[in-house]
Amino acid sequence: MTDLLTAADVLLMQELAQRITAVRPELVNSDASYGELAWNWGKAHAAQGASWVRRLWFAGDDLVAWGWAQLPRSVRRSDGSVKDITGAYLAFQVHPDHAGLVDEVIDWFAATADGLERTALPGAADKFGLERWAAHGYRPDPDGLGDTGSWTQLNERDLEVLEKPVLPDGFRFRTAAEAGPEAAVQAHLDAWGAIAYSRESYEGVRTTPAYRGDLHFLVEAPDGTMAASAIMWFDEANKTAEFEPVGTHPDYRRLGLGRAMLLHGMDRARAAGATHATVACLGAPGHPSARGLYHSVGFREISRDVPLLKPA
């Protein structure tokens, strides 16, 4: 059955992510992880949810595959500009014990987005899935895989031994609850520029069941500016904490704030019961900054995605 995506669906999708993480973490798609699902749903469902349709596949009572098609829409950004999205994108996940369902997912996407350019991001480790996407006429996106492409890699590390975070003089850590909604929203906009994010987006994120105010961090500069921010999503079943998003104000970069915030976040996640942390970043050679930062605090690549495209 195809319907609009709901908050209840996202909870089922997160539970599938937890089950796959427990056995084959490298097969969790980049936009199908526990934290990514919460973040993507929370920040945009109020504004864009009318263009989000989904189908769910069950084995008994267990969700074993899903597809989330994001159809053409107009997206209003924080600077007032509007971006028209004309193609269709599929977020999806298939449990490895039911790998053959990927053909049904692809067929459903074709029917749902008939006549549109279609894109998807299967994982590079999913060899069977990649063969099936190719059999349906999908090809690697040359722009997405180029030196400045959009493909992402997932990085991980354990939390047994952590460096102590060090901030420059006059800077301090805050939680979003301490800083307040306006500061939390502004910190994200300052880091990411003209994007589709607002107070409404923040409220959507904050009211997702997975959100924890004690794992939403900011770094406050001496003048009161929120110079950096990050949210962590704690998958208690796997004792894994996922950073999404992480950003620093352009005027406060190269001061060590991102590094300190990551170390502080991992320390707080460990105190909450996490033994493991993950963070995604752009993996292409032309995007070295975030990757270098994450590697500098002990993260290493576990998986990457493969942007696929099928023309209209």
Side-chain angles (χ1 to χ4, degrees):
M1 180 184 296
T2 295
D3 290 297
L4 292 181
L5 184 73
T6 69
D9 298 331
V10 174
L11 293 177
L12 290 172
M13 292 151 69
Q14 287 180 295
E15 192 268 337
L16 176 58
Q18 290 175 309
R19 284 189 279 124
I20 300 175
T21 296
V23 292
R24 295 289 302 279
E26 75 281 6
L27 293 181
V28 177
N29 288 339
S30 60
D31 49 8
S33 65
Y34 181 82
E36 197 73 30
L37 285 165
W39 169 247
N40 286 335
W41 162 262
K43 69 186 172 77
H45 71 85
Q48 301 181 42
S51 63
W52 292 350
V53 296
R54 60 77 170 146
R55 184 172 171 188
L56 310 177
W57 285 260
F58 290 87
D61 293 332
D62 292 332
L63 181 70
V64 293
W66 55 265
W68 168 6
Q70 300 172 23
L71 300 176
R73 59 203 181 277
S74 294
V75 176
R76 182 168 296 278
R77 294 181 286 202
S78 55
D79 63 354
S81 63
V82 175
K83 179 180 181 181
D84 290 324
I85 297 173
T86 58
Y89 170 70
L90 182 73
F92 76 100
Q93 186 67 65
V94 179
H95 193 287
D97 291 348
H98 300 268
L101 285 174
V102 69
D103 284 296
E104 292 191 34
V105 174
I106 297 169
D107 286 339
W108 171 79
F109 185 39
T112 302
D114 185 36
L116 299 172
E117 179 182 84
R118 303 194 288 276
T119 55
L121 287 173
D126 183 9
K127 303 304 182 186
F128 174 78
L130 288 173
E131 290 175 359
R132 300 314 305 150
W133 282 98
H136 285 264
Y138 286 78
R139 297 292 179 264
D141 178 1
D143 291 335
L145 288 168
D147 283 350
T148 58
S150 58
W151 65 269
T152 63
Q153 66 181 55
L154 181 67
N155 309 282
E156 66 170 354
R157 61 155 293 171
D158 68 55
L159 300 180
E160 289 182 15
V161 179
L162 293 170
E163 294 176 51
K164 184 177 180 180
V166 178
L167 286 172
D169 289 345
F171 289 78
R172 60 173 176 162
F173 295 116
R174 305 291 300 276
T175 65
E178 292 168 345
E182 289 186 13
V185 171
Q186 194 59 50
H188 186 69
L189 292 175
D190 286 342
W192 294 95
I195 55 171
Y197 196 75
S198 64
R199 176 67 181 269
E200 182 182 53
S201 305
Y202 173 69
E203 292 301 330
V205 170
R206 200 168 62 84
T207 54
T208 60
Y211 177 81
R212 289 181 51 155
D214 61 326
L215 295 179
H216 185 173
F217 312 106
L218 301 99
V219 176
E220 184 178 2
D223 65 359
T225 301
M226 296 301 162
S229 64
I231 302 176
M232 299 189 79
W233 305 91
F234 184 24
D235 168 5
E236 295 187 37
N238 292 295
K239 297 184 177 180
T240 294
E242 179 179 354
F243 284 99
E244 177 60 51
V246 178
T248 301
H249 191 302
D251 294 345
Y252 294 89
R253 291 174 185 166
R254 299 195 172 277
L255 298 177
L257 303 185
R259 178 184 179 84
M261 185 173 59
L262 290 168
L263 292 169
H264 175 71
M266 287 189 285
D267 177 69
R268 294 294 82 211
R270 183 173 63 180
T275 61
H276 184 258
T278 62
V279 65
C281 65
L282 291 170
H287 303 294
S289 299
R291 185 173 61 253
L293 170 62
Y294 298 138
H295 285 196
S296 78
V297 294
F299 284 97
R300 292 295 179 265
E301 180 183 334
I302 178 179
S303 62
R304 59 176 62 188
D305 56 35
V306 181
L308 297 182
L309 170 69
K310 188 170 185 178

